[in-house]
Amino acid sequence: MKLRKVTAASATALVIALTATACGGDSDSGDSGSGGGDKIKIGIKYDQPGLGLKEPDGSFSGFDVDVATYVAKELGYKPDQIEWVETKSADRENALARGDVKMIAATYSITDERKQKVDFAGPYLLAHQDLLVKADSDIKEGTDLNGKKLCSVTGSTSAQNVKDKIAPKAQLQQLGGYSECIAGLQSDQLDALTTDDAILAGFAAQDQYKGQFKLTGLKLSNENYGIGVKKGDTATVNKINDALEKMVSDGAWDKAVKDNFGPANYKNEPAPKIGQIVQ
């Protein structure tokens, strides 16, 4: 067999090609959505027990985390290939537009206004605005809040929503965070806390709060939680929807609900149908 002579120029070209190939396979953006050695960046909340929480040891827990981990697995990513990125509510649309994250699972309600800026997969959970009260409270419905102290976080419209619709004489108290409202409930400085029932259940399910609080089942609004992706990324939306349907069918969705909300006796809605938005 006659061997072909390799010139210095061709050898140099071969080295350059191999180097470029190696560099190209080391991306950590997760934009390909195919796994296979890449990383994927997923936006979550860091401060919502039961949904998205950064634990003291640096790990992450919560229903949103479990859903996102399952979806990532179906997209080809192992848990150690996920980079969790704290994504605050006010920055979610910008984080997707900038490409900071591939997707966001962070109690992200699907609304017409948001759909102008991002695309959504799901919904994967139907939540409702509710009330959290002490376990021995006689507050059973919204009208019982007249003359009572109702807490929500600064900037939220939840407490005002209750006052406008069902309890005009409620005394609104806005604090910096849900933990402050919970502390007020414990000490009887406040009578109720209002926001999405999933968020309330997440707090009530924590070890230090077990048995102390209950949800009233107010259902003042419908919050369809979806997974946000960059506007126009239809391929990723379709892959996530397929993953969510599989998560429901194989029982992993029900397990995630029980694991994260069970101790709060959260009466969750059945898993919503993909693309079915409850108004």
Side-chain angles (χ1 to χ4, degrees):
M1 182 174 67
K2 186 175 180 180
L3 296 177
R4 189 174 177 184
K5 185 176 180 181
V6 180
T7 66
S10 61
T12 301
L14 178 61
V15 170
I16 292 173
L18 290 173
T19 301
T21 302
C23 292
D26 194 35
S27 170
D28 66 354
S29 68
D31 287 342
S32 64
S34 60
D38 293 340
K39 288 185 178 294
I40 184 169
K41 294 180 180 180
I42 303 178
I44 58 170
K45 296 289 183 64
Y46 275 21
D47 59 354
Q48 288 185 339
L51 287 153
L53 182 69
K54 185 175 183 179
E55 301 284 0
D57 64 0
S59 62
F60 298 89
S61 67
F63 183 72
D64 285 347
V65 173
D66 289 349
V67 170
T69 300
Y70 189 100
V71 168
K73 178 193 70 174
E74 293 302 307
L75 295 183
Y77 299 94
K78 298 177 182 178
D80 62 2
Q81 292 175 290
I82 299 173
E83 181 179 339
W84 302 108
V85 179
E86 183 175 20
T87 313
K88 297 184 181 297
S89 296
D91 195 45
R92 286 180 296 205
E93 288 81 23
N94 290 332
L96 288 168
R98 292 191 303 261
D100 295 346
V101 294
K102 181 70 173 178
M103 65 181 75
I104 293 176
T107 58
Y108 204 1
S109 296
I110 301 172
T111 66
D112 289 338
E113 181 181 1
R114 288 171 178 162
K115 285 194 292 185
Q116 301 301 312
K117 301 176 182 178
V118 304
D119 284 339
F120 283 99
Y124 64 89
L125 183 71
L126 176 60
H128 307 283
Q129 186 183 339
D130 201 350
L131 300 174
L132 187 72
V133 297
K134 293 188 77 171
D136 60 356
S137 173
D138 58 0
I139 295 175
K140 296 180 180 179
E141 55 187 43
T143 53
D144 294 335
L145 287 170
N146 281 313
K148 302 291 180 66
K149 294 178 181 178
L150 174 64
C151 187
S152 192
V153 298
T154 302
S156 169
T157 60
S158 298
Q160 189 63 48
N161 196 25
V162 171
K163 187 175 177 70
D164 290 346
K165 293 184 177 181
I166 53 177
K169 295 182 180 179
Q171 301 173 35
L172 303 189
Q173 304 283 325
Q174 290 193 328
L175 300 179
Y178 295 118
S179 295
E180 296 175 49
C181 289
I182 295 250
L185 284 181
Q186 282 184 307
S187 62
D188 294 320
Q189 300 296 309
L190 298 168
D191 299 300
L193 162 62
T194 185
T195 188
D196 296 356
D197 54 7
I199 296 174
L200 296 174
F203 274 96
Q206 299 303 290
D207 287 340
Q208 66 267 38
Y209 301 133
K210 284 181 181 176
Q212 296 185 41
F213 304 106
K214 64 182 179 182
L215 283 81
T216 65
L218 183 64
K219 295 187 177 181
L220 188 58
S221 69
N222 296 319
E223 307 296 336
N224 300 269
Y225 290 174
I227 296 180
V229 303
K230 190 173 184 177
K231 188 70 177 175
D233 191 356
T234 305
T236 298
V237 169
N238 291 337
K239 290 177 182 178
I240 295 174
N241 281 337
D242 288 343
L244 293 174
E245 289 179 341
K246 182 177 179 181
M247 187 177 186
V248 172
S249 66
D250 69 11
W253 187 90
D254 284 325
K255 183 179 185 302
V257 170
K258 184 177 180 180
D259 289 347
N260 292 290
F261 304 125
N265 295 318
Y266 174 46
K267 295 177 176 58
N268 63 283
E269 298 281 3
K273 300 294 184 183
I274 297 301
Q276 183 174 312
I277 307 300
V278 179
Q279 303 295 335

